[in-house]
Structures are given as structure tokens and as C-alpha cells.
């Protein structure tokens, strides 16, 4: 497993936490940061998946 997949997954989790916390306390900035972190993590995870596929061949 590529390290990008691990780091990307961690960013997704961090983003979910930030987004939920932002919603809970009514902080729109924190909520949007969480959404951005989730998106960034998903992209990084996808890149890691592509690297894994390339390494397998």
C-alpha cells in the first residue's frame, strides 16, 4: 500500500471531524475547512491507489 493512501485516508478522517465540529458549533469556516480536507484526502488516496496499480504491473 502506498503511503499516499494512508495519508489520504487520515486527511479524510480529519476532515470529517472538522466538518462535524464546525456544524455542531456553528462555525462555517471550520466546516468548510473540513470539507476541503476531506476532498484533499480523497484525491491523495486516489493517487496512492493509482501508484499501487502501477507498481503491481
Amino acid at each position: 500500500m502506498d503511503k499516499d493512501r494512508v495519508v489520504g485516508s487520515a486527511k479524510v478522517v480529519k476532515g470529517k471531524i472538522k466538518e462535524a465540529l464546525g456544524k455542531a458549533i456553528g462555525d462555517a469556516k471550520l466546516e468548510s475547512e473540513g470539507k476541503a480536507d476531506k476532498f484533499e484526502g480523497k484525491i491523495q488516496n486516489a493517487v496512492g491507489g493509482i501508484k499501487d496499480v502501477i507498481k503491481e504491473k
Side-chain angles (χ1 to χ4, degrees), residues 17 21 35 37-38 42 47 50:
I17 292 169
L21 185 60
K35 288 180 182 180
D37 286 346
K38 278 184 3 184
K42 287 179 182 181
V47 168
I50 292 168

Side-chain angles (χ1 to χ4, degrees), residues 3-13 37-38 40-45:
K3 72 176 183 172
D4 282 322
R5 293 190 76 179
V6 175
V7 174
S9 294
K11 285 183 183 178
V12 170
V13 171
D37 286 346
K38 278 184 3 184
E40 183 181 338
K42 287 179 182 181
I43 296 296
Q44 190 167 5
N45 194 345

